[in-house]
Amino acid sequence: MGSNGNDKTKLEEDICIHIFTVSSAMVGVCLTVIGLIRVVITLGKADTLADDLLASDALLFLTSCLLSYAALRARSFRRMHVIERAADVVFITAMVVMTVICGFITYAMSISPNTSH
């Protein structure tokens, strides 16, 4: 029975590690897409708010990353659990926002006037 609590602690640490690594990678993804959108805007093919929205989303992923790091550094299990839960909520929110932004980008690119004639 004593190992059950230890298993739960290990699971919580695993979740924190996954949130930490994926969140930091998603910050990079957001910054890369912002760069690509800026190239498209510079070429004059489309103008969209997506880069601003992605910058905000990158901040959400950064917040999730920092919260998961704080959870990994927490000394008490209860504090780790609370911080990990906050990191999880912020991470899921950022993923939903990113999906909405992807839809927005697709919509903006499909209705943008073709200026190549």
Side-chain angles (χ1 to χ4, degrees), residues 28-109:
V29 168
C30 288
L31 295 176
T32 301
V33 175
I34 288 169
L36 292 173
I37 290 172
R38 296 308 306 165
V39 167
V40 169
I41 290 171
T42 301
L43 294 175
K45 300 212 185 236
D47 193 8
T48 179
L49 294 174
D51 54 337
D52 298 329
L53 296 173
L54 279 170
S56 299
D57 200 39
L59 291 175
L60 284 175
F61 281 118
L62 179 62
T63 302
S64 176
C65 183
L66 293 174
L67 284 171
S68 63
Y69 179 75
L72 288 169
R73 301 282 297 168
R75 300 260 186 236
S76 90
F77 177 75
R78 184 168 189 261
R79 182 179 172 125
M80 180 186 80
H81 184 68
V82 169
I83 296 172
E84 184 270 329
R85 179 71 57 177
D88 197 27
V89 168
V90 173
F91 178 77
I92 295 299
T93 302
M95 289 300 291
V96 169
V97 169
M98 180 172 263
T99 303
V100 170
I101 292 169
C102 287
F104 180 71
I105 291 170
T106 303
Y107 176 75
M109 296 300 171

